[in-house]
Structure formats: C-alpha cells, structure tokens
Amino acid sequence: MSELVFFSGTMDCGKSTLALQIEHNRAARGLQGVIFTRDDRAGEGKLSSRLGLVREAVELVEGMDVYTYLVDRMTRGGRADYVIVDEAQFLAPEQIDQLARIVDDLELDVFAFGITTDFRTKLFPGSQRLIELADRIEALQVEAMCWCGARATHNARTVGGEMVVEGAQVVVGDVNRPAEEIGYEVLCRRHHRRRMTSATARAGVLSPDVLPMTSG
C-alpha cells in the first residue's frame, strides 16, 4: 500500500543524502520517480547533499499544484512510480494536502524530507501539516552535533556568528557559511536557549554553567 512518509531531522543530519539514496535504490530496480525540491542550497531545480551529490529536480514554486502537475505529466506519457520531495518544510499546507492526494488517488509512494522547526523553534506550516497527515514519520538516525558535542536538536540562524531570533521564517542559507553572512548552525537545546553559537563560545563568552567562585 502506498504511503506518505515524512523524514525529519535538523539541518546537517543527512536528509538530502537519504533522499538521493532512495532515488538511487529505486532507479537501480528500473523504477522512475519524480523529484521535487524548494529553495535548495545548490539553486533552483536541484536536489543536493553536503557530500557533493547533485540531482536535477522540479522546483516546487509557491502556488504550484503538485497533484495537477503530476497528473498532467502522466497524461502526456511521463512515467511516475514514486515521488520524492526535499525541503518539504517550505511547502504550503495545501501542497502537503496535494501530496496526500497523490498517495490516495494515484497510489504512489511519496517520500518527503524536511526540518520540523525554524530558527525560533516554531513549526514550519508545511512540516506541521506533514505531521498531521503522514502515514509514517521517520526521525533520521544520523545525529547532527552541537559545538559542545551534545546531540543537536535545534536550528539557529546566525548573522556575524551571533544567533538571531527575529526575522522572516524562510531565509535561504546553509551551515558553514562565512561568519559575516546569514547562516545556520545546529545547537543543542541548552545552547539554543542561551543563544550560544560556536563563534560566541570561541570568543570566550562566560557560560551560565560556570558557578561564581568565592575565596575563604
């Protein structure tokens, strides 16, 4: 039976790499899928991983009806045995409903990949709708790590190495950007709450963990 599966995790935990692996495994068995993406780091119409792998994809733009697109493609003789959607958190809730319709009406598996919460720890609307509708939710087993060595659970937006908590929900960026640019960093909850990035830690910011010492 076909399924809508949501693979979730923080940035830098291998979501796009897994999407590419799923595509490779199915293609090796003679199946042909349709890959959608939105605002990939490599540019429009690309599915890329930080390992350097890149695959052509269909850019799922705002307002696009993904169900209608797929039906039109198949009507014109295009083949679709499954669907992969990367950066699914950027989709509108109605587009997630369309993915569910692809599963139910066209009986195709849909594999959606995305992060659940933004830099403010608020759910992305697309991810929220996936949580509500998905047949199965899979947390990726490759754990990203905070600069302190703990498991990273939150995504932080940085400007000049400093964590920011205000601004538009969607600003395209990536980890490992130059400090002066808008970038992202994965942190554990403790350091996300304290707004301590690797840059501020290196700068010698006194951690609240350190208790004051008194003599005598």
Side-chain angles (χ1 to χ4, degrees):
M1 181 176 291
S2 54
E3 288 185 307
L4 172 58
V5 186
F6 180 32
F7 294 91
S8 67
T10 62
M11 298 182 72
D12 210 21
C13 73
K15 296 182 300 299
S16 298
T17 301
L18 179 58
L20 288 163
Q21 184 66 54
I22 287 176
E23 195 279 333
H24 170 78
N25 289 350
R26 279 158 177 72
R29 289 167 175 78
L31 301 176
Q32 185 172 325
V34 180
I35 302 174
F36 295 95
T37 190
R38 176 78 179 269
D39 294 335
D40 188 90
R41 67 184 73 85
E44 184 174 330
K46 303 289 185 183
L47 168 57
S48 67
S49 79
R50 293 187 179 86
L51 299 182
L53 303 173
V54 181
R55 180 77 161 76
E56 295 296 323
V58 178
E59 186 73 13
L60 219 170
V61 298
E62 184 176 354
M64 178 178 173
D65 187 322
V66 61
Y67 176 84
T68 300
Y69 174 92
L70 201 60
V71 169
D72 289 346
R73 179 186 178 120
M74 295 170 72
T75 301
R76 295 194 304 268
R79 182 178 169 186
D81 298 311
Y82 60 92
V83 173
I84 290 175
V85 182
D86 198 26
E87 307 293 358
Q89 73 274 5
F90 295 145
L91 273 59
E94 56 267 26
Q95 291 174 317
I96 303 302
D97 288 349
Q98 293 156 15
L99 296 181
R101 188 180 178 192
I102 289 170
V103 174
D104 296 339
D105 293 358
L106 303 181
E107 298 183 351
L108 300 179
D109 285 321
V110 175
F111 306 101
F113 298 80
I115 59 179
T116 52
T117 58
D118 64 16
F119 68 105
R120 301 165 299 186
T121 71
K122 304 297 184 182
L123 283 169
F124 282 99
S127 297
Q128 178 178 334
R129 193 63 178 143
L130 274 165
I131 292 169
E132 293 165 348
L133 291 183
D135 297 295
R136 186 158 47 95
I137 300 172
E138 299 281 354
L140 268 70
Q141 298 303 307
V142 177
E143 296 181 346
M145 297 181 65
C146 178
W147 60 265
C148 69
R151 183 169 71 92
T153 53
H154 292 69
N155 305 294
R157 181 180 295 171
T158 60
V159 178
E162 299 280 344
M163 179 175 158
V164 296
V165 293
E166 296 181 353
Q169 185 176 50
V170 179
V171 175
V172 178
D174 200 1
V175 296
N176 301 321
R177 287 288 182 91
E180 66 273 10
E181 296 182 9
I182 295 177
Y184 290 89
E185 182 174 349
V186 288
L187 300 172
C188 64
R189 185 184 62 239
R190 175 179 297 177
H191 289 120
H192 192 279
R193 287 180 54 246
R194 294 170 180 171
R195 303 186 188 180
M196 289 188 66
T197 66
S198 57
T200 56
R202 285 195 302 269
V205 175
L206 179 63
S207 169
D209 288 338
V210 179
L211 299 176
M213 301 294 293
T214 57
S215 59

